[in-house]
Amino acid sequence: MAIVQSTKCALRVCKIEGADVRAHTQSIFVYETMCKPYLTATITINDNANIINNLQLRGGERVSFVIDTGVALS
């Protein structure tokens, strides 16, 4: 049986406004609070290709990501 590390996972998908930034993503920290009806996150991206500037982000853009924890859900 594998040892599960609760803070480690594999990033399968990471998109900002539909642009695939998975290959450039260094880390994602997700925050949840009872005071907000949504999650917030901090994503660190190594952007040598100038992807972020070309997206012309204003705030409120849709971000999606999929992680694999290596644990099967039952």
Side-chain angles (χ1 to χ4, degrees):
M1 181 165 151
I3 297 173
V4 177
Q5 295 179 337
S6 61
T7 60
K8 303 286 183 182
C9 63
L11 183 62
R12 299 295 181 213
V13 175
C14 187
K15 294 184 179 184
I16 300 174
E17 282 297 305
D20 183 8
V21 295
R22 183 185 61 82
H24 307 285
T25 303
Q26 181 178 346
S27 63
I28 299 177
F29 295 93
V30 179
Y31 307 96
E32 183 176 26
T33 175
M34 293 173 46
C35 300
K36 296 178 183 176
Y38 52 85
L39 299 175
T40 57
T42 301
I43 301 176
T44 303
I45 296 175
N46 293 330
D47 189 12
N48 296 332
N50 210 23
I51 294 170
I52 298 301
N53 283 338
N54 291 334
L55 289 175
Q56 299 178 353
L57 303 176
R58 304 273 187 251
E61 286 81 9
R62 186 173 262 329
V63 176
S64 60
F65 58 90
V66 176
I67 57 172
D68 181 356
T69 63
V71 177
L73 298 175
S74 40

